[in-house]
Structure formats: C-alpha cells, structure tokens
Amino acid sequence: MDKKQVVITKRIKVFGMIQGVGFRPLVFRLAEKYKIHGTVKNIGGIVEIIAQAFEEHVNSFLYDLESNSGNEYEIDHIQIEDIKEKPYTEFKIIKSSSDQEVSIIPPDLPVCKKCQKEMDAIENRRYQNPFISCTACGPRYTIIEKLPYDRGHTSMEDFVMCQTCNKEYTETDSRRFHAQTISCNDCGPYAIMNDRKDKEAISEAVNILKSGGILAVKGIGGYHFVCSPLIEETVLNLRKLKGREEKPFAVMFENIKSIEEYCIVSKEERDLLESKARPIVLLYTREKGMAEATGKGGIYCGAFLPYTPLQILLTRNIGPLIMTSANLSDKPIIKEDNIILNLKSPYLNGVLYHKRRIVRSVDDSVAKVIDHKPQLLRRSRGYVPYPIFLPQGDKENTDLEIFAAGSDLKAAFCLYKKGSGVVSQYFGDLEERSVLEEYKSSFVDLSTLLQITPGLALCDLHPNYHSSRYAKSLGIPVILVQHHHAHIASVMAEYDLEGPVIGVAFDGTGYGSDGNIWGGEFLICEKSEFSRAAHLQYTPMLGGDTSMSDAKKTADCFLLKAGLITEIQDDRLPVIKGAIENHINTVLTSSMGRLFDAVSSILSICHKSRYEGECAAMLEKEAVLALRKEISPEKVTFAFNENNGIIEIDPNPVLKTLCQLRNSVDRGSLALGFHYGVADIILKVCEWIRNKQNINTVALGGGVFQNTVLSERVLKLLREKNFSVYVNMAVPPNDGSISLGQTYIGLMKSFNSKNSESRDNLMVK
C-alpha cells in the first residue's frame, strides 16, 4: 500500500505563546483544511493535538502550524509522538485540563486592525464599541484568574454572552470562535460615567477633557489619570493630584502622524510604537512643544499609541492625551473601582470606568531604540508574563524551581521552571509599604498561576533590602548575589553567555562584597562566579543612599576628594567637610551614577534630582543638544592606575578640567566631552583586561546604560576594536534586570555543583 495512503495518528504537544491568541480555533480550521480528525485541548499552559489522517495530510498540517504565516502566535517547540488510537470521525475542540507543564501565559494584546475596522463601520453591530475584541486581541494577563485560558477562568465570566455573541463564539468560521473576551453593545461590559453609559458616557468624558478637565479612565491593567498635554494649568493641576510629581508625563497619540508633529520618529521607533506590546517609547522632541509642565524641559517625550478601543475613541475625538498611571505619590497604580470612585480631590473631574474586573495591576511598559534596536526600560504591560528562555541543564536539574527577589528600586521578581524565566511586572520602590505589599501578593498570585513552588531563592547582598528580607522569610534555601554581578548575569542570561565576559556595570548604588557602595565596576564573570577587575576610585560620600538626590552635595564630596575645595560654592561646605574628615555618616562609593550627578551640578545643569535620574538625564540632554548643533566635545580624560592587580579609575583630572572650563567653554561641549571621556575609559580598561586575560566579550549593564549618548558611543568604540559587545534589551539595563541575573546565577550554581555535593552547601540559610 502507498505509504501516503496509510492513516496515522500523532499526539502533538505545542509549547509557546499560544494561550489567548485563538490558537485552538486556528488548529481547528487547519484540521478542516487538511481533513484531519481528532481533538485539540489546553493542558495547563500547553496545547495538545491528536491528529489522525493520511500521512501527507498530517505533514502538511504540521508544516502550516509551524510556519505561522499570520504571525498570530509564538511556538517555542513541538513534541510529536506516534500513538495508537481509536478511529475519529471528526475534529473537536474539547474541554481543557490541568497539567504540571510550564505555562506560557499571553501578555495583554492591543486591539487588532480587523476589530478597529469593525468599530468604525456604522453598519456593524459593534460600531464604536469600546471593548471590541476577538481571538487575536484584547486583555489577557490582567483578566486571567487561573489556567487554562477559558472564559470561565477570566473576569469576563461576569458577563453573560447574548445569543448573537454565543453564536459567533461557537461557529467555527467566525473570527470570534472561542474568543474568550467576546462582547458587544448588548452584553457588556459598558463604559460608565456618572449615570450615563457607553456613547453618552464617552461623550461626557470627551467634553470634560476638551474643556481642560482631568479624568480617571479605567484601562487594561489599572486606571490612568487623563488630561490634555497642551493646557499648562491643567497639567499643573494633574501634578497636584499626583502629589507634586516632577517626572515628565507620557502622552498617548491617535496615530504616528500625530506623534510626528511633536517628536522625531525613526523607522525602528515606529515599528516599536506599533508593536503588539504598544510600549511608551522615549522619542526626541521637536521644537513644537506641549505645555511646559508636560515634559518639564526634558529632551524626550514618552509617546505611545492607543491599545484599547476606548483609548482610540478618546484620542480620535480629542487629540493627544496625557495617560499617566493613576497612583498617588509613589503608591501602586489603582485598579479597584471603589477606591478611584471614592477618591476626593478638587483636581479630579470624573471617572470613566467599566465593570470588567482587573485581576492584577500592570503598568505601561517603557522602551527606547538604542543601536537601532528596541531596549526595554520598564518591562510590564504587553511583555509580562512572556518568559525569557534560559538553560535547563541536565535531567537532574529539570525539577529546579526558583524565586529571584530582584532589587528594591524598580522592583521586579523572577520565577523559573523548566527553562522559562518569567520576570514579573514592574512594581516601583519597595520602600513604600503599599508597593511592598503589592510585590508580596503578586509573588503568591503569579507562582500559583504558573504552578511554580520555588525550592530555591536568590536575593541581593544588601542586608537592608526589603526584597532580600522577603526571600529569607520563605523558609527555603537562599543564595545572596552581589548587585552588579546580577546586572552582568542578566545580560549573560539574555544572550546565553557562559563567559568569561568583561562585565561593565555602571549604576547609582549597589552593596559591594567589601561592604562599600559600588557602582562603577568592571567584573570578570564566568558562569556563576565573578571577580572584580577594575572600578571607579572610592570617594567618601556624606549621607549614603538616602541623600542621592542632592547632586550639589554629591559634587562637593567629589571635589573635596579631588582637592578642588576652592571650586566648591556651597554654604554647607564647612559642615560637609567636617563630616567627611571625621567619618560622620559617610560611606565609600565607586558609583558612576553619582559621578554623573556630580558633573551635572558642577556644570550648573541640575543640582537636585526631583525624581530618580533627573540630574543625569539633564546632563545627557545637554550632550544631545551639542550633537544636534554639531558642537565639538571638549576633551576630558580619566587617569587610571593598577593597585594590587585591580585597576582604579581616577576621576580627578576630569573634575579639574570641568571646573577650569565651566565658565569659558560651552556647557554642551563639556557635557558631551564628559560622556565621551567615560566611553574612552571603558575602552581603555577593557583593552587592558583583554591584554591580561584574553577576554574579548563585553557585557554592559546597570542604569547608567539607559543613557543613549554614552551607550552608543561605547558600542561604537568597542566594536571598532573588535570586541563582541552585548547589552540588555529584553529586560531593562536598570534594576528591573536584577532578578533575571540572580536567576541565571542560581541556575549556574546548581548546574555546576558536583553530583556528590549537596546543593545546600551552596546556600546561605
């Protein structure tokens, strides 16, 4: 008999981002196309297919499945086995079941083009529906209560489908066949404002916003405070509502054309803006500006496109809108209706909401394009909880499940199981009690959702970190990880680098293994181990972590160390000098982040950071403006010397040059020269290490590498000298990457421990 005419039966297990994207209906339609009989169902986070047909038909079915021509899902891998099974007479989508396989949960998806077209068609029954969705779009992670992803396991279970929606949901040729978020104007949810619903509610909201009012608007992962970015008084009122916040506000635009009126948009930035994640993208601003209070004089505008139908309707009717997280001061984003409805403020003019529950709060993601590639600065909505795939090791390690606690600033934890590292959404600063509680409850929530029971925890070396204390409270073995080692390990995790690599870790603060505050580090990293090869020279700093916002005081400390006391113009000088000389409330720091702050103050650009990183951001702004004006950078040079086999980088020559020239040379030239001087010393130190240790791979990590001018200059210089250079892209270079790096170090320690060695010997209990 012709082999092609033999009926075969295969069990196919599909792993990847296939939940919540209409994958089972797509499998059903492919099965019909190729005359396949059998079944498809969810098992936990994977999909199992029983395919029975002639061999050539099964092969064609598998080819189409793997080719994913519509780019509607992401397959990590497929397992196929031959089975003996009873004859099937049709193909069915059958009831889901649970399993212990790794679950890959879909992030929230933006409204698709087909739904937008329906929303704009006056004859369509979903005309101007603010919650239109299908199998390819809509909320996912923020509405899932448990797996598998079925309607009854989401907050959509609160809304009974009307007959027409139910028909679409069950008809195999419908775009909404098994679309769990299916809804319409008849069955809800509905837009609500005061006693009005849907079109009337949206119309009232539009009128308030056009007249300069401020609204709270319910989104996918929480509420936004919304207002016009063009009216100065309105934006100032928004800052009062938020609690004297000074950070620039993100602005949502109707389309790319609207963004281009205010911002410079490259092709790569356009692609990022229009990507499925719909992040806030930091773009260089044009001269045509918004209200001064919107951007606060920054060089960037955080621009993003609508990702919900309701946002489309609002921006279409009004134009650009500030869409900032509805939180007060540093507290978590508000997701509960009762809290926002009971918020009393003279600056809040109403609430536009709906009754679809937000199961978990998720803030907007933030990204930028660097080196012509997208780089995440805040990994949250649209990306979480899609995993980062990490090594699994041998069979003895496949049962390893990990919790990595991350850092206290820009907090995010990581959960690992069977090769998948899921980095949580961004939480903020754990010093704020309500943020810490949100962090803890989210760990319980996500570990339950992913069916992960960690047997190992990793946390920062800092003895006073809230994240570290929480990890130690779980009653499982704990590994302490040095902060900057974790930064470099996160880059190694992204690119599957075992090392050795030269790790350049530049940030504001991190607890060093010698008890000092690190932040300007060159490390040699290989697998789970590291050694310190070079660092910025230690400077005594008054006040430690708590005074990091005072750049003028930071500058005083650097100038005192450099012997430039006559260059200090600060009434507090006698007190600061006395405290440092007598070692009162001082710490030693090698922080490159603090040096950026000091230079910003020395050049009279910014003396105080009203939000994290403001002084460094304003310094970068001056460098960017110098580049735009084609102003040549003033040459500034670091010195360095070897001390007991470790390079110490001396900033004193740089500080002396800046002080000598700050009143006679263009400020932009000096700012740009400082950036180039930092890039030059990175190159020199990396070349010194390569000559000594024959290492040609460099990993860049830490919050300082959010600076585009510095990062692109460093990449250029190192590549010209034939270094292989890697920088965080899938996770932020800032502390949002720490938990991924900790996870990688935990894996490497476990993989490399000898079979006879107890894993407990690697732990700090």
Side-chain angles (χ1 to χ4, degrees):
M1 182 183 292
D2 187 347
K3 187 178 180 181
K4 292 182 179 179
Q5 299 305 309
V6 174
V7 173
I8 62 171
T9 307
K10 291 186 181 290
R11 176 182 286 116
I12 304 160
K13 287 187 176 181
V14 186
F15 300 76
M17 210 271 277
I18 49 178
Q19 294 285 326
V21 292
F23 187 73
R24 287 176 297 163
L26 184 143
V27 169
F28 183 94
R29 287 190 283 273
L30 278 181
E32 284 196 328
K33 176 181 177 181
Y34 291 110
K35 300 180 176 59
I36 305 287
H37 293 168
T39 61
V40 60
K41 68 176 180 178
N42 283 329
I43 304 179
I46 70 171
V47 168
E48 181 188 83
I49 304 166
I50 304 298
Q52 189 177 80
F54 292 132
E55 185 173 5
E56 64 175 328
H57 291 176
V58 173
N59 289 339
S60 297
F61 168 81
L62 285 169
Y63 177 82
D64 278 12
L65 196 67
E66 291 178 299
S67 64
N68 187 17
S69 59
N71 194 31
E72 296 167 324
Y73 49 87
E74 293 183 32
I75 293 178
D76 176 36
H77 66 281
I78 297 178
Q79 293 178 357
I80 303 172
E81 62 175 317
D82 293 310
I83 60 171
K84 291 184 178 180
E85 194 62 84
K86 63 182 181 181
Y88 289 90
T89 58
E90 59 183 335
F91 195 88
K92 288 183 178 180
I93 296 176
I94 61 175
K95 186 177 179 181
S96 304
S97 61
S98 61
D99 194 87
Q100 293 303 309
E101 294 287 356
V102 179
S103 301
I104 298 180
I105 303 163
D108 300 295
L109 300 170
V111 59
C112 69
K113 290 181 179 179
K114 289 180 180 178
C115 282
Q116 287 186 51
K117 188 175 180 181
E118 289 182 353
M119 188 176 71
D120 293 338
I122 195 167
E123 71 280 2
N124 193 281
R125 75 186 196 90
R126 292 187 175 87
Y127 175 61
Q128 292 194 341
N129 181 279
F131 305 99
I132 189 171
S133 66
C134 66
T135 53
C137 66
R140 298 293 191 263
Y141 178 56
T142 52
I143 64 170
I144 294 173
E145 294 183 310
K146 61 180 180 179
L147 289 175
Y149 175 66
D150 291 326
R151 189 179 180 94
H153 295 164
T154 74
S155 57
M156 285 301 294
E157 68 174 338
D158 299 343
F159 303 92
V160 179
M161 279 186 274
C162 66
Q163 287 186 349
T164 309
C165 281
N166 189 64
K167 185 179 180 183
E168 290 177 307
Y169 183 81
T170 54
E171 287 186 343
T172 59
D173 59 350
S174 165
R175 279 204 317 117
R176 295 182 173 85
F177 178 48
H178 276 254
Q180 312 304 342
T181 55
I182 189 171
S183 64
C184 72
N185 295 322
D186 293 327
C187 53
Y190 312 101
I192 304 168
M193 187 164 182
N194 297 325
D195 58 350
R196 293 176 170 85
K197 279 198 339 183
D198 277 350
K199 292 178 183 177
E200 290 185 357
I202 294 170
S203 178
E204 182 177 355
V206 167
N207 290 335
I208 291 172
L209 292 169
K210 280 185 174 179
S211 64
I214 300 171
L215 294 180
V217 178
K218 193 172 184 179
I220 282 180
Y223 277 88
H224 288 104
F225 288 137
V226 181
C227 72
S228 170
L230 308 177
I231 306 170
E232 184 76 14
E233 183 181 0
T234 299
V235 184
L236 288 173
N237 285 339
L238 175 60
R239 293 196 176 279
K240 293 172 185 175
L241 173 62
K242 291 267 287 184
R244 300 184 302 279
E245 182 177 299
E246 295 294 333
K247 290 186 289 187
F249 285 130
V251 180
M252 181 174 283
F253 296 83
E254 178 189 353
N255 49 39
I256 295 290
K257 183 179 179 182
S258 177
I259 295 177
E260 288 177 331
E261 292 182 34
Y262 298 91
C263 306
I264 300 167
V265 186
S266 68
K267 179 187 179 301
E268 294 88 353
E269 287 164 340
R270 180 184 183 126
D271 291 343
L272 182 55
L273 285 160
E274 294 180 330
S275 66
K276 285 184 179 180
R278 289 292 196 278
I280 296 168
V281 180
L282 299 189
L283 304 172
Y284 287 133
T285 56
R286 294 187 184 276
E287 289 186 6
K288 178 180 179 179
M290 302 180 189
E292 193 280 333
T294 298
K296 283 290 185 176
I299 196 71
Y300 294 109
C301 172
F304 60 142
L305 293 172
Y307 51 87
T308 73
L310 180 57
Q311 292 167 349
I312 290 173
L313 294 171
L314 291 176
T315 54
R316 186 178 290 171
N317 279 282
I318 303 167
L321 287 170
I322 289 176
M323 286 258 182
T324 185
S325 304
N327 60 338
L328 303 181
S329 191
D330 294 320
K331 289 180 167 51
I333 185 172
I334 298 170
K335 69 180 178 69
E336 293 85 5
D337 300 337
N338 64 311
I339 294 177
I340 203 78
L341 290 169
N342 288 305
L343 179 62
K344 305 301 180 187
S345 170
Y347 306 111
L348 184 62
N349 303 111
V351 179
L352 180 63
Y353 73 110
H354 54 82
K355 292 188 177 180
R356 183 179 66 208
R357 290 176 291 112
I358 298 173
V359 175
R360 56 189 59 83
S361 57
V362 179
D363 218 330
D364 292 311
S365 295
V366 181
K368 69 193 299 187
V369 169
I370 184 169
D371 192 35
H372 305 290
K373 301 180 189 71
Q375 180 186 60
L376 284 174
L377 303 181
R378 184 167 78 197
R379 190 175 191 270
S380 220
R381 179 197 48 77
Y383 297 97
V384 175
Y386 194 70
I388 294 166
F389 297 106
L390 299 172
Q392 285 188 261
D394 54 33
K395 291 181 179 179
E396 293 182 6
N397 292 293
T398 56
D399 64 337
L400 181 62
E401 298 181 13
I402 290 175
F403 166 63
S407 182
D408 271 20
L409 271 178
K410 293 180 170 58
F413 59 78
C414 182
L415 291 165
Y416 170 88
K417 179 179 179 179
K418 294 185 178 179
S420 291
V422 176
V423 179
S424 74
Q425 62 266 38
Y426 160 92
F427 294 102
D429 185 356
L430 298 187
E431 192 64 36
E432 168 60 49
R433 183 175 180 83
S434 56
V435 175
L436 178 59
E437 294 307 313
E438 180 83 8
Y439 169 95
K440 291 178 180 179
S441 64
S442 294
F443 162 70
V444 175
D445 166 54
L446 190 53
S447 57
T448 301
L449 190 63
L450 296 170
Q451 299 180 333
I452 292 177
T453 305
L456 170 64
L458 296 102
C459 64
D460 197 276
L461 190 63
H462 199 300
N464 296 323
Y465 268 10
H466 296 284
S467 53
S468 299
R469 289 172 180 167
Y470 182 63
K472 294 170 186 176
S473 75
L474 296 177
I476 56 178
V478 177
I479 297 176
L480 306 181
V481 179
Q482 199 281 321
H483 188 86
H484 302 94
H485 184 202
H487 269 306
I488 302 308
S490 72
V491 182
M492 297 171 73
E494 273 199 53
Y495 298 97
D496 195 19
L497 306 173
E498 288 195 355
V501 305
I502 303 168
V504 185
F506 285 1
D507 64 3
T509 60
Y511 191 78
S513 55
D514 60 358
N516 295 320
I517 303 301
W518 292 8
E521 311 307 313
F522 291 77
L523 310 177
I524 306 300
C525 300
E526 184 170 10
K527 296 181 179 177
S528 64
E529 305 304 317
F530 84 96
S531 60
R532 198 181 192 194
H535 61 87
L536 189 67
Q537 188 181 87
Y538 281 128
T539 296
M541 196 67 55
L542 178 62
D545 290 1
T546 58
S547 63
M548 66 176 66
S549 63
D550 190 342
K552 194 173 186 67
K553 184 169 68 175
T554 299
D556 295 348
C557 295
F558 273 103
L559 293 175
L560 282 169
K561 175 69 167 59
L564 298 169
I565 190 170
T566 58
E567 299 291 343
I568 299 174
Q569 299 171 351
D570 192 331
D571 294 340
R572 301 170 296 175
L573 176 58
V575 175
I576 294 170
K577 182 173 180 290
I580 290 176
E581 288 176 348
N582 292 285
H583 309 290
I584 300 171
N585 192 27
T586 59
V587 296
L588 292 177
T589 182
S590 60
S591 169
M592 184 61 74
R594 295 290 79 80
L595 182 60
F596 269 75
D597 290 345
V599 170
S600 187
S601 179
I602 288 167
L603 298 182
S604 296
I605 294 169
C606 189
H607 295 298
K608 191 173 183 64
S609 287
R610 296 164 296 177
Y611 57 88
E612 187 193 358
E614 182 181 12
C615 291
M618 292 298 105
L619 181 65
E620 182 189 9
K621 174 185 175 181
E622 293 297 328
V624 169
L625 293 176
L627 285 170
R628 286 186 183 178
K629 297 173 186 175
E630 298 183 348
I631 296 173
S632 298
E634 185 68 33
K635 186 171 181 61
V636 297
T637 307
F638 288 83
F640 72 95
N641 56 77
E642 186 177 349
N643 185 6
N644 295 323
I646 295 179
I647 288 289
E648 291 186 356
I649 301 164
D650 183 359
N652 293 356
V654 170
L655 299 172
K656 185 176 181 180
T657 299
L658 295 177
C659 288
Q660 287 175 340
L661 301 179
R662 60 182 170 179
N663 295 320
S664 59
V665 174
D666 182 88
R667 189 166 68 179
S669 175
L670 293 173
L672 183 59
F674 173 72
H675 282 76
Y676 281 19
V678 174
D680 288 342
I681 195 62
I682 290 173
L683 173 63
K684 288 177 182 177
V685 173
C686 286
E687 287 187 308
W688 182 87
I689 294 172
R690 178 166 64 181
N691 290 337
K692 292 281 186 179
Q693 302 198 38
N694 197 32
I695 302 171
N696 200 56
T697 302
V698 179
L700 309 175
V704 170
F705 288 108
Q706 293 180 157
N707 183 310
T708 302
V709 175
L710 175 67
S711 295
E712 293 192 335
R713 181 69 177 177
V714 170
L715 289 168
K716 177 179 182 294
L717 293 180
L718 289 172
R719 287 168 179 165
E720 286 176 350
K721 295 297 183 179
N722 298 315
F723 283 97
S724 298
V725 196
Y726 300 89
V727 64
N728 287 119
M729 292 293 180
V731 292
N734 58 47
D735 281 7
S737 67
I738 290 293
S739 64
L740 179 66
Q742 291 169 345
T743 301
Y744 183 81
I745 290 166
L747 287 172
M748 291 297 105
K749 281 188 178 293
S750 296
F751 296 168
N752 297 326
S753 61
K754 297 178 181 178
N755 292 336
S756 59
E757 181 181 14
S758 169
R759 189 179 288 167
D760 286 351
N761 290 339
L762 298 171
M763 316 300 171
V764 176
K765 295 293 184 70

